[in-house]
Amino acid sequence: MGKGDRVYLQNSVKTLVANIRFASVDNPVHTLVVTSAVPNEGKTAISVALGQAIAAGGKDVIIVDCDLRRRSIANEMGIHTQHGLYAVLANQVTLEEAVVETDTPGLHFLDVEPHIPNPVDILASKRFGKLVARLRREYAFVIIDTPPVSAFVDAAIISQVADATLLVVRQGFTKRADILAAYDQLKKADANVIGTVMNFCDSERSEYYYNYYNKDGKRVRRSGGSDSSSPAPKLPDVPLSQGVHTATDDVADSMASAEDIAAAPAALDADATNAGTSAVQQGSVPGPKSLPNIDFDGAADSTMAFLAQSGYKPKTSFDD
């Protein structure tokens, strides 16, 4: 992943964090279930990126791997743990002994052991519900990574003890029917589905963030790294103050009579637009422009008469 891609991903995750906060202003989200409809949609990567972004804001965050069949967060983050979720629920170790810190300050991780029997019974137990409630009290934000909804019922069960649920959807990969079925199953479990996250997107990026100009005035694209022939925009050489007219100097010339405005409203709009365009080309700020004195008496079309006396010539396809 290039530098521009990492910046784009970080900005997208920050936007996602803000949207999660806005999704429930009256009841802020503290425990979030991250799931997907089918496997290989990137939900684990979203969970890790969310945790890192929230922790970077000064919050204490914990990521809990609740995929009891296919644990993957430890490999994603490069962490090796000695204890996990099952040991805590079985009172074999304390929560403090099982939770480990990550390379990101403020971000903690609770792993899960592989090959745990009866995952559904464990997740549906009161002991697991009490553990989630305790994590909610001790950490500012709890992110729970779960298996895909279409494969197992685990996500629907865990969503019942969480504040909100996020559904990750991979662009151009997941079928519409699978997404609808996953959403329907979550709603049947009374899950608070606050939205979906489109992952693996190939969207256009803003030129404002990903282009810059070098010292020679050439535009350079960050993603491609090649120079473009288009020069940087230049500021006007004439100070803006020299192109500004005072109200006392031009108020008499800029005022049109009531009869002129009533007779040619479209012409007034055309004249104002032309004045703004010429000012941009000259590099100065236009002042009020006086209207030409035009005699509309006997004119069949007042607008065409105004344009003709203003020097306007319609351009056709036969003109050079």
Side-chain angles (χ1 to χ4, degrees), residues 128-202:
F128 177 78
K130 292 179 180 179
L131 175 62
V132 174
R134 178 183 173 182
L135 293 175
R136 192 180 190 277
R137 293 192 303 268
E138 297 185 5
Y139 295 91
F141 209 92
V142 181
I143 300 175
I144 306 175
D145 187 75
T146 68
V149 179
S150 63
F152 306 100
V153 73
D154 300 17
I157 294 176
I158 300 175
S159 65
Q160 295 176 337
V161 296
D163 296 334
T165 300
L166 205 61
L167 186 63
V168 178
V169 178
R170 181 173 179 176
Q171 185 182 33
F173 179 83
T174 314
K175 295 181 180 180
R176 178 183 178 88
D178 293 333
I179 300 174
L180 294 176
Y183 178 78
D184 183 63
Q185 182 174 347
L186 291 172
K187 296 304 292 183
K188 287 181 179 179
D190 199 22
N192 179 25
V193 182
I194 59 175
T196 60
V197 179
M198 186 69 72
N199 201 15
F200 289 94
C201 296
D202 186 16

Side-chain angles (χ1 to χ4, degrees), residues 245-247 250-251 253-254 286-290:
H245 300 275
T246 61
D250 293 320
V251 64
D253 295 335
S254 63
K289 185 175 181 179
S290 59

